[in-house]
Amino acid sequence: MTVWIFFILAVLIFLALDLGVFNKTPHVISSKEAGKWTAVWVTLSFAFSGVIYWLYQSNYIANPDQLKPAEASIKFLTGYLIELSLSADNIFVIAIIFASFKIAQKYQHRVLFWGIIGAIVFRGLMIFFGVILIRKVDWITYVFGSFLVFTAMKMLFKKEDEDEFNPKESTIYKIIGKVIPISHHRDKEHFIIKENNRNYATPLLVALLVIEVMDVVFAIDSVPAILAITSDPFLVFSSNIFAILGLRSMYFFLANMLQKFSYLEYSLIAILTFVGLKMLLVHFFKFPEWVSLSFIAVSLITGIVVSLKKAEKENSEKPSRDEE
């Protein structure tokens, strides 16, 4: 448990520094600043795979699956890339929520900070029970695998004219309104304000709660997806945490460029289908770890490159269309 304690303490210390030092004063996070932090988190995540290698080589961590150090490192990186790729949809929904509740850019970081605290707790619980299910009930892998393939097919055949997510019409918004009255006034970064001796939830609190619920919804896909790679609790938890911690900077870096990555959804479909099939075939055939890592990395890179080329082509065609 020593490694677990040190890991969780390190996460809590960084979060405390994040809100108390790096972002003590609310401010608009520029794309340049977000890009730097995104690079920092990606670098730290890949560097942590080296820590994973050392931990499993030195037997400093429980190793229920008897993984070799290199195998553990690859599983961590594969799980991290899966969580990172599935965060793309999450970023899009967060952007919709902020726009719907008109959350000022300089306060969005505060909302996402507390959102991450909740995400760590909920993800931890889902991972804990997911690992128990995988280890105790053999056939649950078929349930998880079928669910992932079903989710991928649902994304593939989704109609373009389907209604988009509207936070103000969501069930959670209606429930919040029944529990505590919602104020439309924005009092700086406060989540609750008092008016006429009565407490009201501000748009910041409502946005936070909606984001928390949506994260749980997305975790229903992402947790089974990473369990297809490994059921080692520390690898699943740590890869999830690194992806979650880097989600904020990724949001501020990509929020204004989401439309450029129009083909990234097909990468997610390919990844979900692959990990779903991997779970369905787990008792008959096991893919080598490098195959899983390579497939996920290639799918992501392909989706990004094709999307950027399409966006570049459309931009280059705009002048000629105007001339016509």
Side-chain angles (χ1 to χ4, degrees):
M1 292 299 295
T2 304
V3 174
W4 280 87
I5 293 170
F6 275 110
F7 180 76
I8 293 172
L9 278 176
V11 171
L12 293 176
I13 289 171
F14 175 80
L15 289 173
L17 288 172
D18 186 3
L19 194 63
V21 179
F22 300 130
N23 293 282
K24 186 175 182 180
T25 304
H27 65 285
V28 176
I29 297 178
S30 64
S31 296
K32 184 178 180 180
E33 180 184 353
K36 288 180 179 178
W37 276 110
T38 299
V40 166
W41 277 114
V42 171
T43 302
L44 285 175
S45 301
F46 275 82
F48 193 75
S49 66
V51 177
I52 293 289
Y53 186 96
W54 172 69
L55 289 173
Y56 281 77
Q57 184 182 49
S58 307
N59 295 318
Y60 287 146
I61 188 78
N63 189 358
D65 295 335
Q66 299 301 309
L67 299 173
K68 294 179 180 179
E71 189 180 6
S73 294
I74 293 176
K75 284 181 178 290
F76 168 81
L77 287 175
T78 306
Y80 170 71
L81 287 178
I82 285 177
E83 293 301 318
L84 206 61
S85 61
L86 294 178
S87 295
D89 277 351
N90 209 348
I91 290 173
F92 183 74
V93 171
I94 290 172
I96 293 175
I97 293 171
F98 282 150
S100 178
F101 294 109
K102 296 181 174 62
I103 306 300
Q105 284 189 330
K106 65 179 180 178
Y107 299 133
Q108 290 179 5
H109 179 275
R110 179 177 174 83
V111 175
L112 289 179
F113 173 87
W114 291 107
I116 281 174
I117 299 293
I120 290 174
V121 174
F122 289 123
R123 293 289 181 100
L125 290 172
M126 294 181 74
I127 289 168
F128 175 76
F129 290 110
V131 169
I132 290 177
L133 279 173
I134 287 286
R135 295 190 180 281
K136 298 291 184 181
V137 185
D138 286 342
W139 52 264
I140 200 67
T141 55
Y142 299 125
V143 176
F144 285 166
S146 300
F147 176 73
L148 292 176
V149 173
F150 169 76
T151 302
M153 293 302 101
K154 188 177 179 182
M155 290 173 64
L156 181 61
F157 295 106
K158 180 178 67 176
K159 296 179 180 178
E160 292 185 4
D161 58 349
E162 282 186 8
D163 294 334
E164 292 186 356
F165 173 67
N166 187 341
K168 290 186 177 180
E169 293 181 1
S170 63
T171 303
I172 182 62
Y173 180 81
K174 296 174 183 177
I175 293 175
I176 294 170
K178 291 180 180 179
V179 174
I180 181 172
I182 299 172
S183 172
H184 296 292
H185 294 98
R186 292 164 178 77
D187 189 5
K188 296 184 178 180
E189 71 270 22
H190 297 145
F191 290 113
I192 295 177
I193 59 175
K194 182 168 283 189
E195 295 178 356
N196 301 322
N197 293 322
R198 190 178 183 186
N199 289 327
Y200 286 82
T202 66
L204 260 70
L205 178 61
V206 179
L208 170 62
L209 294 176
V210 176
I211 286 173
E212 291 286 14
V213 172
M214 293 309 299
D215 181 75
V216 172
V217 172
F218 281 110
I220 294 173
D221 290 338
S222 64
V223 171
I226 195 171
L227 288 173
I229 303 303
T230 178
S231 59
D232 184 298
F234 185 72
L235 294 179
V236 176
F237 184 72
S238 58
S239 57
N240 252 271
I241 295 304
F242 271 99
I244 291 171
L245 289 175
L247 180 61
R248 287 167 307 162
S249 54
M250 272 186 61
Y251 166 76
F252 290 110
F253 182 60
L254 297 175
N256 297 324
M257 300 187 293
L258 286 174
Q259 298 301 325
K260 291 184 179 181
F261 298 100
S262 55
Y263 283 95
L264 193 57
E265 186 173 7
Y266 293 101
S267 297
L268 305 185
I269 292 170
I271 291 170
L272 284 175
T273 303
F274 174 78
V275 295
L277 291 175
K278 185 175 181 179
M279 294 195 91
L280 292 173
L281 298 172
V282 68
H283 295 124
F284 307 100
F285 177 76
K286 291 189 177 181
F287 291 90
E289 297 309 320
W290 65 268
V291 171
S292 299
L293 180 59
S294 300
F295 182 88
I296 292 166
V298 170
S299 297
L300 278 175
I301 293 171
T302 302
I304 292 171
V305 170
V306 173
S307 297
L308 291 176
K309 284 188 175 181
K310 181 191 175 186
E312 184 180 352
K313 183 180 179 181
E314 289 179 348
N315 288 334
S316 64
E317 289 178 353
K318 281 183 180 180
S320 59
R321 288 178 181 174
D322 292 337
E323 288 174 5
E324 292 176 1

